[in-house]
Amino acid sequence: MPAAKRRALVIWATAVAVYLLAVFNRTSLGVAGLQAAERFHVGPAALGVFTVLQVGVYAIMQIPTGLLVDRFGPRRVLVAAAFAMGIGQLLFAFAPTYSIAVIARGVLGFGDAMTFISVLRLVAAHFSSRRYASIASLTAAVGSIGNLAATVPLTLLLSHAGWVATFAVTGSVTALYAIVVFLRVKDAPVGAPAHRSDASSLRALLAQVRDAWRTPGTRLGFWVHFSTMFAPAVLGLLWGFPYLVRAQGMSESAAGAVLSLLVIVGGVTGPIVGETISRKPEWRVPMVAAFLAVSVGVWAVLLGWPGGVVPVPLVIVAFSFVSLGGPLSGVGFAIARDYNPLFRVGTASGVVNVGGFAAITVTTLCIGLLLGGDAAAADANSFRVAFLTIAAMLLLGAWRTGVWWRRARAFVLVAGARGESVPVQIRRRAWDIPAHAGSIAS
């Protein structure tokens, strides 16, 4: 293996470990919820604040993170991210009150929010554009290991070591790993420029975000991410378990097994999807379009089944298929990387990431409102009505993805006709925007 490629892999492996720690720390409360309720003397609603706060901080921080990465480089941002997550977990370990614990989870969410975009920026700098999608998908798959580690292994650690020791150890390891990142990670290959943005004033930063948003590829990536990742995330983070138990009548253990498919199937298929779209970039959006089309049918069956109680084998197949949205959401980042200059890739990736998390936030809140705030008393019909939100968001995302697919294709066709280098070679189709059409970036 050439030395340059080996260095790139070492840098990526060092950086992706931060993302693994981020996912582990992010999902650690999933198995510690009951202990947290007892420790801080709070009910389910107060516990829900932890999750809402983390998701909210994550979503709000995506564009600022992209700007920080483009301005100061991914290494510095990753160092700050690891340190912030570690401090957050340490504070959570020793928090004497619920209020301090909420602050701790906010600090953790702040650090978590800066990890994925930073790793993607490193991938863009150290690997070719054709390898970007493959390595980015592998990054997401490694993150799923952190998700799995935050289940049974963390449960055992909590039961044997206790609350303080468990979170103090994980926090200390995460914070100390910042030193490894500082020593081992490089923003760019040896001898290559770092391609940093020189935007420093508020006006320049806003202009950078505006330029990223106006790029058709970024907008297409936003809607791809919006429409593919929200459903598996909503099911996995909050509403999948009560749906399976209350609406489908499954036992808690069976529901947990079905939910694990969201992680396992997504983790296994992620590298396959990444390698496929790396080799055949022209397949990227058609694969997403096929997924969205079948997803509409899947949700039509789940929501339209007579009586609302769907046969278990069909539920397993449906959840397994929905989990493919996670790996396919990486298409959004690959498109944004291709259509933006390297100094703006972090910002564009942040914009794309906002799409999925905006959809998650809206869908999660709407489902809660439609259930009336009492999931424990909801039945199959109640969930069927509430989950219409998922169908509505899916249709919205599919529509806007189609709109911006045509506009991005028009951008490529026009650029190709001018003799410019384009990311993907495509042929004009009957459904493409006519060459004499007006602006495509509105």
Side-chain angles (χ1 to χ4, degrees), residues 148-187:
L148 291 174
T151 54
V152 176
L154 185 62
T155 301
L156 293 174
L157 187 59
L158 278 167
S159 61
H160 288 86
W163 177 281
V164 173
T166 296
F167 288 107
V169 168
T170 57
S172 299
V173 170
T174 304
L176 289 174
Y177 192 74
I179 300 173
V180 179
V181 176
F182 179 80
L183 295 175
R184 303 294 298 177
V185 170
K186 305 296 180 185
D187 286 338

Side-chain angles (χ1 to χ4, degrees), residues 104-124:
R105 297 305 286 187
V107 173
L108 176 63
F110 177 80
D112 179 15
M114 297 190 289
T115 57
F116 191 59
I117 299 301
S118 299
V119 178
L120 290 184
R121 182 64 166 78
L122 283 169
V123 173

